Amino acid sequence: MDVSLVRKESANTHIMSYSIMKIFTFLFGLAIGSFLNVCIYRLPLKQSIVTPPSGCPGCGGKIRFYDNIPILSYIILRGKCRDCREPISIRYPLVELLTGLLSLSLFTYCYPDYYLYIALFIFTCSLIVVTFIDLDHQIIPDIISIPGIFAGLIVAILFNVFSFYPIAWHDSLIGILLGGGILYIVAAGFEKLTGKEGMGGGDVKLLAMIGAWMGWRAIPMIILISSLTGSIIGAASLLLAGKGLRTRIPFGPFLVLGTLVYLFFGIKIQNYYLGLFR
Ligand SMILES: [Zn+2]
């Protein structure tokens, strides 16, 4: 058999298995997104995320397994409960889609490093849950941020033993102190000046967790992106709502946005700005 033909064939198999893996990571992300919806709904209510199985918030009817397929079920049921026709929030399929797309993007970003993909996907899932709980309840549960701080540090330590993680353990440790420290000082200073609580302790612990996973070098850019987007959206919503300064806009979702932008584009943005000063 011709050697070049064999090579071509193995390259083709490689491309095919890579495409299959991409499809799989997308579907895997959709399924995990379905679980994240349960976490978002139940964690703030201090309910178990394992039992009982999901029920309709309208009639309490148990959701059948064939009505629990990510995205598809929502489309088939036209966004209504099969039993009581109560509308199902569009947010459920959107969270599933978001998780699926982030899983796929992380996989292609990390390929061929599967361990890095798994670690960063777990981190990203916790960020998704934090975002929607903060939007709904204006809290960031300690049950995510505090274990998340330790998990980030442990991942950095463990992965560096096998030397395929971009963040050293000391970068992670300084990230925790810097991330938590900066926001703590800002929050305490704001409280002292105005006598009002502007930023919650939840944000402080969230940025400490982000520092643990992304390393301290990521902190300045993440703060820059999140405060820029946060003030633009905040000013716009104040103008639109006209409720005065009493409207509280959660900061967690902007920290998450800044983190995801840094994760996927941080190095490119940094190089672009450094290039401007050359
Ligand atoms: Zn129902």
Short mmCIF file of all heavy atoms in Angstrom, two decimals, residues 35 54 64 71 77 136 141 151 161 197 229 232 243 248:
data_model
loop_
_atom_site.label_atom_id
_atom_site.label_comp_id
_atom_site.label_asym_id
_atom_site.label_seq_id
_atom_site.Cartn_x
_atom_site.Cartn_y
_atom_site.Cartn_z
N PHE A 35 -28.29 20.52 34.21
CA PHE A 35 -28.01 20.35 35.64
C PHE A 35 -27.73 21.70 36.31
O PHE A 35 -28.16 21.95 37.44
CB PHE A 35 -26.83 19.39 35.82
CG PHE A 35 -26.32 19.29 37.22
CD1 PHE A 35 -27.11 18.73 38.22
CD2 PHE A 35 -25.07 19.78 37.57
CE1 PHE A 35 -26.65 18.64 39.53
CE2 PHE A 35 -24.61 19.70 38.86
CZ PHE A 35 -25.39 19.14 39.85
N SER A 54 -36.53 16.86 39.03
CA SER A 54 -37.12 18.16 38.68
C SER A 54 -38.64 18.07 38.52
O SER A 54 -39.16 17.12 37.94
CB SER A 54 -36.53 18.66 37.37
OG SER A 54 -35.14 18.73 37.49
N ARG A 64 -41.12 14.33 32.88
CA ARG A 64 -40.78 13.02 32.29
C ARG A 64 -39.42 13.10 31.63
O ARG A 64 -39.02 14.15 31.13
CB ARG A 64 -41.85 12.65 31.27
CG ARG A 64 -43.23 12.53 31.87
CD ARG A 64 -44.29 12.63 30.76
NE ARG A 64 -45.66 12.62 31.29
CZ ARG A 64 -46.28 13.72 31.71
NH1 ARG A 64 -45.65 14.90 31.70
NH2 ARG A 64 -47.51 13.65 32.16
N ILE A 71 -32.86 21.88 25.38
CA ILE A 71 -33.29 22.70 24.24
C ILE A 71 -34.43 22.06 23.45
O ILE A 71 -35.47 22.67 23.26
CB ILE A 71 -32.10 23.07 23.32
CG1 ILE A 71 -31.10 23.90 24.15
CG2 ILE A 71 -32.57 23.88 22.11
CD1 ILE A 71 -29.87 24.30 23.40
N LEU A 77 -42.28 21.30 23.30
CA LEU A 77 -43.38 21.68 24.18
C LEU A 77 -43.81 23.14 23.97
O LEU A 77 -44.69 23.64 24.66
CB LEU A 77 -42.98 21.47 25.65
CG LEU A 77 -42.75 20.02 26.10
CD1 LEU A 77 -42.09 19.98 27.47
CD2 LEU A 77 -44.06 19.27 26.14
N ASP A 136 -30.67 36.73 40.07
CA ASP A 136 -31.98 36.44 40.68
C ASP A 136 -32.07 36.95 42.11
O ASP A 136 -33.09 37.49 42.51
CB ASP A 136 -32.24 34.93 40.70
CG ASP A 136 -32.56 34.40 39.31
OD1 ASP A 136 -32.78 35.22 38.41
OD2 ASP A 136 -32.57 33.17 39.14
N PRO A 141 -23.39 32.63 46.46
CA PRO A 141 -23.33 31.67 47.58
C PRO A 141 -21.90 31.27 47.93
O PRO A 141 -21.11 30.97 47.04
CB PRO A 141 -24.11 30.46 47.06
CG PRO A 141 -24.83 30.91 45.84
CD PRO A 141 -24.10 32.09 45.31
N ALA A 151 -10.27 24.95 45.20
CA ALA A 151 -10.17 24.12 44.00
C ALA A 151 -9.18 24.73 43.00
O ALA A 151 -8.35 24.02 42.43
CB ALA A 151 -11.54 23.95 43.35
N VAL A 161 2.58 19.81 38.84
CA VAL A 161 3.40 18.61 39.03
C VAL A 161 3.59 17.93 37.68
O VAL A 161 4.67 17.44 37.35
CB VAL A 161 2.73 17.67 40.05
CG1 VAL A 161 3.49 16.37 40.15
CG2 VAL A 161 2.63 18.35 41.41
N GLU A 197 -23.45 50.03 51.95
CA GLU A 197 -22.75 48.88 51.43
C GLU A 197 -22.91 48.85 49.91
O GLU A 197 -24.01 48.72 49.40
CB GLU A 197 -23.30 47.59 52.03
CG GLU A 197 -22.36 46.41 51.81
CD GLU A 197 -23.00 45.07 52.17
OE1 GLU A 197 -24.15 45.07 52.62
OE2 GLU A 197 -22.35 44.06 51.97
N THR A 229 -17.79 47.51 31.62
CA THR A 229 -19.10 47.02 31.17
C THR A 229 -20.14 47.26 32.25
O THR A 229 -21.28 47.62 31.95
CB THR A 229 -19.04 45.52 30.82
OG1 THR A 229 -18.41 44.83 31.89
CG2 THR A 229 -18.29 45.27 29.55
N ILE A 232 -21.26 50.94 32.21
CA ILE A 232 -22.07 51.26 31.03
C ILE A 232 -23.49 50.70 31.19
O ILE A 232 -24.49 51.42 31.05
CB ILE A 232 -21.42 50.69 29.74
CG1 ILE A 232 -20.10 51.44 29.45
CG2 ILE A 232 -22.37 50.83 28.55
CD1 ILE A 232 -19.24 50.79 28.40
N LYS A 243 -35.22 54.71 38.50
CA LYS A 243 -35.56 54.46 39.90
C LYS A 243 -34.61 55.19 40.85
O LYS A 243 -34.70 55.02 42.06
CB LYS A 243 -35.49 52.97 40.20
CG LYS A 243 -36.74 52.22 39.77
CD LYS A 243 -36.60 50.75 40.17
CE LYS A 243 -37.46 49.86 39.30
NZ LYS A 243 -37.01 48.47 39.35
N ARG A 248 -30.05 48.32 42.73
CA ARG A 248 -28.78 47.64 42.93
C ARG A 248 -28.53 46.68 41.78
O ARG A 248 -29.33 45.79 41.51
CB ARG A 248 -28.75 46.87 44.25
CG ARG A 248 -27.36 46.36 44.53
CD ARG A 248 -27.26 45.59 45.83
NE ARG A 248 -25.91 45.08 45.98
CZ ARG A 248 -25.46 43.99 45.38
NH1 ARG A 248 -26.25 43.29 44.61
NH2 ARG A 248 -24.21 43.60 45.56
#
